[in-house]
């Protein structure tokens, strides 16, 4: 028996699907220019560059940041159904991450992003921009080393399958059925916020530095010196490894020579790490291994007599929005004093451990494959990625 999608394909495009370049079907422009001082508690909705990577998923219909109505008049905006794409990142995997703006009104768009106006189903296009087919095309357009960029103009060369709108919508319907992981993540964030709000309670709040025994930033050995990297055995955690997670192994290694000559500091397990520079600034992690880090990581060893490290980690995850509001400069950087002076709730150690354990179990279920994500959820994610790429691959129309 044929599926509905098979029937639509046989009826509407039996000879295959036409591919067009993005430049043929869309107009592409750059976002505007917004600074930290521009954000207000209420006003005209806006989307900051860093939030594309750390807050939004594939689609959004409301924002967490705002600018004044007066400033909004001068800004570049995305209209309903536009795609908003981040065109700079610290790594090739993340660059070109995007969202479909599904709000009812326009939204202001900050810099380092492209605004893509088109006539396709917006969710179909967003799904395509996260597919392996798109990935293989974007890596040919990306350039840079420390900062990876894909220029908005170069995106015009991207080829996209353009099936009839009815087929686009059926593909979206199928892929939307795989949103269980996103729903669980949102549920987890809701409960985390509830557990850590302590509204109406007699819980003491204190600056983070009161519970930190030691803190330091790391170092980045110069890439041109092979004695710093070749044959390295010292785990070296980079900013892009900091993804609201536990870091059980390093993605890079440096040599003992690099440690000695750059002054890189070893940090013990169970430090709370906060990324302090660029698109990842504000992300948190906990290292489960002794390691060194790059200079864009603030590493905090928690005083065990005052606070439980994992509880502190979840507190900072929960205050991510406050952290990114503190970012300064063109790159959106934080510094140690900004973070160490943030207030966190400090209930009894017993209560801290109870809350941390609850969140850890929920976090493991929702997000973290490395600490035992149930097989059925892992399979669901793999199944989603498989069907997404399969559904977005078409026979070329001759």
């Amino acid at each position: 028996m044929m599926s509905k999608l098979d029937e639509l394909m046989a009826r509407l495009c039996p000879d295959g699907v036409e591919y067009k370049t993005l430049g043929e079907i869309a107009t592409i422009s750059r976002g505007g220019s917004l600074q930290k001082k521009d954000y207000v508690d209420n006003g005209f909705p806006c989307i900051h560059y860093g939030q594309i990577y750390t807050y939004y998923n594939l689609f959004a219909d409301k924002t967490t940041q705002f600018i004044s109505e007066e400033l909004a008049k001068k800004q570049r905006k995305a209209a309903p159904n536009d795609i908003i794409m981040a065109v700079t990142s610290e790594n090739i995997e993340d660059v070109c991450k995007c969202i479909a703006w599904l709000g009812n009104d326009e939204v202001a768009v900050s810099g380092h992003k492209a605004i893509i106006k088109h006539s396709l189903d917006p969710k179909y296009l967003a799904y395509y921009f996260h597919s392996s087919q798109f990935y293989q095309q974007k890596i040919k357009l990306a350039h840079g080393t420390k900062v990876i960029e894909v220029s908005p103009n170069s995106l015009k060369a991207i080829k996209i399958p353009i099936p009839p709108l009815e087929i686009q919508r059926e593909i979206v319907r199928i892929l939307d059925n795989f949103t269980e992981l996103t729903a669980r993540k949102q549920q987890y964030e809701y409960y985390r916020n509830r557990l850590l709000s302590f509204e109406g309670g007699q819980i003491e709040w204190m600056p983070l530095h009161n519970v930190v025994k030691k803190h330091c930033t790391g170092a980045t050995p110069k890439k041109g010196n092979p004695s710093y990297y070749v044959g390295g055995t010292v785990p070296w955690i980079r900013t892009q490894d900091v993804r609201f997670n536990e870091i059980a192994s390093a993605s890079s290694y440096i040599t003992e020579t690099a440690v000695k000559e750059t002054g890189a500091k070893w940090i013990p397990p169970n430090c709370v790490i906060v990324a302090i520079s660029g698109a990842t600034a504000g992300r948190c992690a906990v290292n489960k291994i002794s390691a060194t880090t790059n200079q864009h990581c603030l590493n905090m060893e928690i005083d065990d007599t005052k606070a439980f490290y994992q509880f502190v980690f979840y507190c900072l995850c929960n205050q991510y929005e406050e952290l990114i509001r503190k970012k300064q400069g063109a790159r959106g950087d934080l510094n140690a004093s900004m973070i160490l002076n943030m207030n966190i709730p400090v209930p009894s150690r017993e209560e801290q451990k109870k809350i941390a354990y609850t969140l850890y179990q929920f976090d493991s279920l929702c997000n973290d494959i490395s600490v035992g994500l149930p097989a059925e959820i892992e399979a669901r994610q793999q199944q989603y990625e498989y069907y997404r790429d399969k559904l977005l691959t078409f026979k070329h129309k001759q």
Side-chain angles (χ1 to χ4, degrees), residues 119-143:
S119 58
L120 306 181
D121 182 291
K123 296 177 80 172
Y124 170 83
L125 193 52
Y127 277 126
Y128 185 80
F129 283 144
H130 290 85
S131 68
S132 62
Q133 295 95 314
F134 173 69
Y135 179 87
Q136 293 305 317
Q137 294 187 73
K138 79 172 183 182
I139 59 176
K140 298 175 183 178
L141 304 176
H143 58 88

Side-chain angles (χ1 to χ4, degrees), residues 303-323:
D303 187 338
D304 190 57
T305 65
K306 297 179 179 178
F308 182 47
Y309 74 92
Q310 204 167 48
F311 176 81
V312 175
F313 162 68
Y314 285 123
C315 284
L316 289 176
C317 290
N318 199 50
Q319 296 187 55
Y320 171 72
E321 289 299 319
E322 182 180 346
L323 277 169

Side-chain angles (χ1 to χ4, degrees), residues 197-215:
S197 63
F198 298 104
E199 294 177 358
Q202 301 299 313
I203 300 298
E204 182 180 9
W205 288 65
M206 63 177 63
L208 179 59
H209 64 74
N210 283 16
V211 301
V212 174
K213 184 190 298 184
K214 297 178 182 177
H215 72 274

Side-chain angles (χ1 to χ4, degrees), residues 40-335:
V40 296
D41 291 335
N42 292 287
F44 194 91
C46 69
I47 293 179
H48 183 268
Y49 152 72
Q51 290 180 311
I52 296 288
Y53 294 115
T54 56
Y55 181 78
Y56 296 106
N57 293 308
L58 287 173
F59 324 114
D61 58 9
K62 57 185 178 181
T63 71
T64 61
Q65 289 189 316
F66 305 87
I67 57 176
S68 70
E69 297 284 350
E70 189 63 28
L71 179 60
K73 296 177 182 177
K74 307 173 185 177
Q75 292 300 313
R76 295 180 181 174
K77 305 176 186 70
N81 298 333
D82 286 353
I83 299 293
I84 304 171
M85 178 181 288
V87 291
T88 63
S89 178
E90 295 177 352
N91 58 74
I92 191 66
E93 288 76 19
D94 286 341
V95 72
C96 292
K97 187 178 186 301
C98 68
I99 63 170
W101 173 245
L102 303 180
N104 294 323
D105 301 301
E106 289 185 322
V107 62
V109 177
S110 71
H112 300 290
K113 293 199 291 294
I115 302 170
I116 302 173
K117 297 184 179 295
H118 59 94
S119 58
L120 306 181
D121 182 291
K123 296 177 80 172
Y124 170 83
L125 193 52
Y127 277 126
Y128 185 80
F129 283 144
H130 290 85
S131 68
S132 62
Q133 295 95 314
F134 173 69
Y135 179 87
Q136 293 305 317
Q137 294 187 73
K138 79 172 183 182
I139 59 176
K140 298 175 183 178
L141 304 176
H143 58 88
T145 51
K146 290 186 178 180
V147 176
I148 307 299
E149 180 177 7
V150 174
S151 71
N153 190 58
S154 70
L155 287 169
K156 294 178 181 178
I158 294 292
K159 289 187 177 181
I160 298 172
I162 315 292
L165 192 58
E166 194 173 352
I167 290 176
Q168 295 177 37
R169 289 171 177 166
E170 176 61 13
I171 290 171
V172 167
R173 185 193 68 79
I174 294 169
L175 292 176
D176 279 353
N177 287 333
F178 286 90
T179 57
E180 178 183 355
L181 291 174
T182 298
R184 290 197 181 195
K185 181 180 179 182
Q186 292 172 339
Q187 185 183 30
Y188 158 70
E189 291 174 349
Y190 168 79
Y191 281 111
R192 184 186 66 197
N193 181 59
R194 288 290 301 273
L195 282 170
L196 295 171
S197 63
F198 298 104
E199 294 177 358
Q202 301 299 313
I203 300 298
E204 182 180 9
W205 288 65
M206 63 177 63
L208 179 59
H209 64 74
N210 283 16
V211 301
V212 174
K213 184 190 298 184
K214 297 178 182 177
H215 72 274
C216 67
T217 52
T220 297
K222 291 182 179 179
K223 291 186 177 180
N225 190 332
S227 68
Y228 288 165
Y229 292 94
V230 178
T233 58
V234 178
W236 184 56
I237 296 170
R238 300 175 300 166
T239 318
Q240 51 262 51
D241 299 323
V242 181
R243 296 176 176 269
F244 301 107
N245 61 346
E246 284 191 347
I247 300 175
S249 61
S251 60
S252 299
Y253 292 84
I254 58 175
T255 63
E256 292 284 357
T257 300
V259 175
K260 293 176 183 177
E261 294 188 5
T262 64
K265 297 179 177 63
W266 280 90
I267 58 173
N270 300 335
C271 283
V272 177
I273 302 171
V274 179
I276 59 174
S277 183
T280 57
R283 290 183 183 177
C284 310
V286 173
N287 63 305
K288 304 308 293 182
I289 55 172
S290 295
T292 58
T293 72
N294 73 13
Q295 78 273 26
H296 298 310
C297 292
L298 173 64
N299 313 305
M300 296 174 286
E301 185 179 351
I302 306 303
D303 187 338
D304 190 57
T305 65
K306 297 179 179 178
F308 182 47
Y309 74 92
Q310 204 167 48
F311 176 81
V312 175
F313 162 68
Y314 285 123
C315 284
L316 289 176
C317 290
N318 199 50
Q319 296 187 55
Y320 171 72
E321 289 299 319
E322 182 180 346
L323 277 169
I324 62 173
R325 281 195 292 270
K326 295 177 180 292
K327 292 166 69 170
Q328 297 178 343
R331 280 175 55 88
D333 293 341
L334 299 168
N335 61 48

Side-chain angles (χ1 to χ4, degrees), residues 3-67:
S3 69
K4 181 179 179 180
L5 182 59
D6 290 333
E7 293 174 357
L8 289 172
M9 291 291 296
R11 176 164 57 88
L12 298 176
C13 44
D15 298 325
V17 170
E18 185 176 10
Y19 279 66
K20 293 185 177 181
T21 65
L22 190 58
E24 292 179 277
I25 64 158
T27 60
I28 307 171
S29 59
R30 285 186 176 271
S33 177
L34 295 173
Q35 301 178 34
K36 176 193 169 186
K37 64 181 179 61
D38 296 326
Y39 299 124
V40 296
D41 291 335
N42 292 287
F44 194 91
C46 69
I47 293 179
H48 183 268
Y49 152 72
Q51 290 180 311
I52 296 288
Y53 294 115
T54 56
Y55 181 78
Y56 296 106
N57 293 308
L58 287 173
F59 324 114
D61 58 9
K62 57 185 178 181
T63 71
T64 61
Q65 289 189 316
F66 305 87
I67 57 176

